[in-house]
Amino acid sequence: MNVLITGGAGFIGSALVRYIIKMKSDSVINIDKLTYAGNLESLAEIENDERYFFEKVDICNSSELDRVFQLYQPDAVMHLAAESHVDRSIDGPAAFIETNIVGTYTLLEATRNYWDQLPSDKQQAFRFHHISTDEVYGDLEGTNDLFTEDMAYDPSSPYSASKASSDHLVRAWQRTYGLPTLVTNCSNNYGPYHFPEKLIPLTILNALSGKSLPVYGSGMQVRDWLYVDDHAAALYKVLTEGKVGETYNIGGHNEKANIDVVKSICYLLDELVPNKTNGLVEYEDLITFVTDRPGHDVRYAIDASKIECKLGWKPAETFESGLRKTVEWYLSNEAWWSRVLDGSYSGERLGINKVKQQSYHLSESEEAV
């Protein structure tokens, strides 16, 4: 296949691109606007592969999308391009409305115009896979409840509301126009190449620098953690084996309170790089509780039984094995994250102006990049 991936320079998108190029025989066309979270250096190991192509394109630009579709003739679209940071959506919701809602609409229309021109056999085989988040479901009150695919949406933040809107658009284009779509909603991702404003990489890098480890409220907010490479494998499984019109929840089966995630990182660092805490006895001493964010959901938990039963997918990593891999990756890849921290990433590879360094906010989630 020729697979068009939007947002392929982001965290989850780059993992998906690397997975397809390294593990499958398909070609990948990566389109990315290269906002602050888009980093082409996350694709350095596959950027020279003859099956990989990159186009710097904004999904809100319909004429550029039309050009890309006609040039590359994709057999499938995997849509990950999104503004995805809850705190940023609270500070500035307009960008989330523009990218996540207007951008998804523009991409759907460009896809439909292209799909309408395909011969019937290619129309039947074509897929539009929309990658979304469990945050669209809102908050779980009980300790045993799980998000299921037929649960009503109840988003709490501008970010999750914009993603819920995009989910509805995708399903409407399937029912109204017959566009063969698939939707997946994932739990919190973590792993290598994660942008340092997110909870796990922020904790790792702050700890290594002897800085405070900020935790919202009491830190008892519960999330289900999914290793990003497991997610990439699941996304490809849904694209190639999923049933058109269906939704699949993808989770890691790893419910953890935020404070326990932070402490687990501290324990690993105590083991792997002791004596780097500027005289503190343990990294855990750096933990600082900060004022909770507005409308902070207490618990997310995914019921991933459908994708396991219907498609035979389940995560390969436990939280413990995935977190160790993640911490070890950051310890071994200072060149990557130091260029993110100083703002010098991506731009040099494209010969464009240096990317402006962004201020960092604390967020535990990275739903769809």
Side-chain angles (χ1 to χ4, degrees), residues 186-206:
C186 69
S187 59
N188 283 36
N189 280 226
Y190 70 102
Y193 300 102
H194 205 172
F195 195 76
E197 69 186 351
K198 306 296 182 174
L199 177 64
I200 287 178
L202 179 70
T203 299
I204 296 169
L205 300 185
N206 274 17

Side-chain angles (χ1 to χ4, degrees), residues 96-367:
F96 290 74
I97 304 303
E98 179 70 14
T99 298
N100 299 355
I101 302 178
V102 178
T104 298
Y105 157 74
T106 306
L107 178 65
L108 282 167
E109 280 294 86
T111 303
R112 183 168 71 93
N113 292 335
Y114 165 76
W115 178 75
D116 280 341
Q117 299 170 12
L118 294 175
S120 59
D121 59 332
K122 287 188 172 293
Q123 281 191 343
Q124 290 294 320
F126 188 87
R127 296 291 183 269
F128 183 102
H129 180 183
H130 176 61
I131 289 83
S132 189
T133 170
D134 60 357
E135 293 202 31
V136 298
Y137 298 120
D139 201 3
L140 287 170
E141 294 184 1
T143 58
N144 298 315
D145 294 338
L146 298 171
F147 293 137
T148 61
E149 287 83 357
D150 58 358
M151 181 172 286
Y153 279 19
D154 189 21
S156 303
S157 69
Y159 161 65
S160 57
S162 69
K163 289 298 291 184
S165 299
S166 66
D167 292 7
H168 291 317
L169 287 174
V170 171
R171 294 189 180 100
W173 259 242
Q174 192 269 324
R175 295 189 64 176
T176 302
Y177 302 111
L179 188 69
T181 66
L182 301 149
V183 176
T184 52
N185 298 85
C186 69
S187 59
N188 283 36
N189 280 226
Y190 70 102
Y193 300 102
H194 205 172
F195 195 76
E197 69 186 351
K198 306 296 182 174
L199 177 64
I200 287 178
L202 179 70
T203 299
I204 296 169
L205 300 185
N206 274 17
L208 292 175
S209 299
K211 298 178 181 178
S212 66
L213 308 181
V215 176
Y216 275 134
S218 64
M220 295 309 296
Q221 304 88 354
V222 173
R223 302 293 183 260
D224 174 26
W225 292 92
L226 173 65
Y227 191 65
V228 70
D229 290 345
D230 282 339
H231 189 197
L235 294 177
Y236 190 84
K237 174 76 77 170
V238 170
L239 178 73
T240 54
E241 300 179 28
K243 182 180 178 181
V244 168
E246 291 291 318
T247 298
Y248 299 89
N249 283 347
I250 305 174
H253 306 304
N254 293 305
E255 285 188 57
K256 302 288 180 183
N258 286 345
I259 186 62
D260 293 329
V261 172
V262 173
K263 288 182 178 180
S264 294
I265 294 169
C266 292
Y267 301 153
L268 278 171
L269 291 174
D270 283 331
E271 172 194 337
L272 297 171
V273 282
N275 305 319
K276 281 205 170 186
T277 54
N278 295 333
L280 292 171
V281 176
E282 296 176 338
Y283 288 98
E284 188 176 342
D285 295 328
L286 296 168
I287 293 174
T288 303
F289 294 95
V290 299
T291 302
D292 208 351
R293 77 153 63 109
H296 200 172
D297 291 332
V298 174
R299 177 173 173 261
Y300 303 149
I302 283 274
D303 179 353
S305 59
K306 179 178 177 178
I307 190 174
E308 181 174 350
C309 294
K310 300 293 185 180
L311 303 183
W313 175 89
K314 58 183 178 180
E317 300 292 343
T318 65
F319 182 72
E320 290 71 24
S321 66
L323 188 64
R324 178 173 289 272
K325 286 183 176 182
T326 302
V327 171
E328 290 177 341
W329 185 89
Y330 278 92
L331 292 177
S332 301
N333 288 273
E334 183 175 354
W336 181 87
W337 54 259
S338 64
R339 287 173 56 76
V340 175
L341 293 178
D342 69 20
S344 62
Y345 62 103
S346 291
E348 292 179 6
R349 285 187 176 272
L350 288 177
I352 60 177
N353 293 334
K354 181 178 177 180
V355 179
K356 181 180 179 182
Q357 184 177 4
Q358 304 289 328
S359 60
Y360 295 113
H361 300 269
L362 171 64
S363 176
E364 75 275 356
S365 59
E366 179 71 54
E367 295 74 23

